[in-house]
Amino acid sequence: MNHLETNESASLTIDLNCDLGEGIGNDALIMPHISSANIACGYHAGDDTTMKATVELALQHEVALGAHPSYMDRENFGRTDLLLSPPEIYDLVTAQVFKLAGIAKTFGTKLHHVKPHGALYNKAATTRSLAAIIALAVKDVDDELFIYGSRALVSEARKIGMRTAHEVFADRAYNTDGSLVSRKVPGYFIDDNKKAVNQVIKMVTTGKVQTISGEEIDIIADTVCIHGDGPHAPELAKAIRKKLAAQKINISKPLS
């Protein structure tokens, strides 16, 4: 079921997620404005201490807990593709999700979702074989978890009965095929908060996004990502939430 739907008051509902626990230092400023947190599991950033602190902070603000697994690549912040075998990918994902799930359990709670990070995320969006492995790994940890992602990852996750949320990005530019503009291309990041907010409202209310070339394409928005390492991430998160509220759009984690 698409999370973007009408409820009894005929208003829309959308999830706001953010990648946190990455050592950026602004988690406490962002957390009050989001509904889902994707927490670094130690492979591209973070460690046991940051995971515990981020889980505790999320619980204080009633924010859904998500694992943010990545390649073992702290040097490049998980943004370099690594050629790993299917068993290596499976073990990579399960180890990170199990780790955060164990920490969540110590707080008397459990994970809500999993969202891959960086190069692992981008490759899973276009490579069905990789997407299938990631989806299976998540299912084998907990088949009630949501998988946040796009394109191939959502498709492969649904094939094996996993709940999913189509993710869109507030602060990233899009290509005409629905992929994110490469970080190597000028203009890939939307650093104008007003423009980013307008992009979110357009995606959520119309199911459309304007690409970097000026064309409009269809897009499914169940959850909106705000990058926690963006230069103005706290201000952007606050501005998006304020604009959504003004348009009577509810903010909530995916429920079905």
Side-chain angles (χ1 to χ4, degrees), residues 23-75:
I24 306 303
N26 56 15
D27 291 12
L29 297 174
I30 294 172
M31 199 74 79
H33 307 297
I34 62 173
S35 45
S36 294
N38 319 309
I39 302 172
C41 300
Y43 279 35
H44 74 283
D47 54 28
D48 284 10
T49 299
T50 59
M51 282 186 270
K52 290 174 184 176
T54 310
V55 166
E56 186 172 24
L57 183 62
L59 293 176
Q60 289 172 6
H61 292 279
E62 299 182 342
V63 169
L65 303 176
H68 198 36
S70 69
Y71 288 125
M72 180 74 82
D73 178 33
R74 295 181 76 92
E75 181 180 355

Side-chain angles (χ1 to χ4, degrees), residues 40-207:
C41 300
Y43 279 35
H44 74 283
D47 54 28
D48 284 10
T49 299
T50 59
M51 282 186 270
K52 290 174 184 176
T54 310
V55 166
E56 186 172 24
L57 183 62
L59 293 176
Q60 289 172 6
H61 292 279
E62 299 182 342
V63 169
L65 303 176
H68 198 36
S70 69
Y71 288 125
M72 180 74 82
D73 178 33
R74 295 181 76 92
E75 181 180 355
N76 300 297
F77 203 64
R79 288 176 174 157
T80 298
D81 186 30
L82 303 179
L83 298 178
L84 302 180
S85 68
E88 287 174 322
I89 293 292
Y90 181 93
D91 290 346
L92 181 92
V93 173
T94 55
Q96 292 175 80
V97 180
F98 270 126
K99 167 63 77 173
L100 190 64
I103 289 173
K105 188 175 181 180
T106 67
F107 285 89
T109 189
K110 61 184 298 185
L111 299 184
H112 169 265
H113 65 277
V114 174
K115 172 191 163 180
H117 166 81
L120 185 64
Y121 179 101
N122 291 334
K123 192 170 184 179
T126 59
T127 309
R128 290 193 174 276
S129 57
L130 176 63
I133 295 165
I134 293 172
L136 179 61
V138 174
K139 183 175 184 177
D140 286 350
V141 174
D142 182 349
D143 62 8
E144 294 185 352
L145 289 168
F146 278 84
I147 294 180
Y148 288 12
S150 63
R151 300 186 294 163
L153 181 56
V154 169
S155 177
E156 293 301 317
R158 287 185 170 181
K159 283 182 183 179
I160 59 173
M162 295 297 289
R163 297 186 292 179
T164 62
H166 284 270
E167 184 177 46
V168 296
F169 292 82
D171 47 18
R172 290 292 300 275
Y174 281 85
N175 294 308
T176 54
D177 65 355
S179 63
L180 296 177
V181 173
S182 168
R183 289 176 177 271
K184 299 177 181 178
V185 175
Y188 81 89
F189 186 79
I190 301 172
D191 56 7
D192 181 328
N193 279 0
K194 183 176 181 180
K195 184 177 179 181
V197 170
N198 289 339
Q199 174 163 292
V200 169
I201 297 302
K202 185 179 184 69
M203 292 188 292
V204 172
T205 60
T206 71

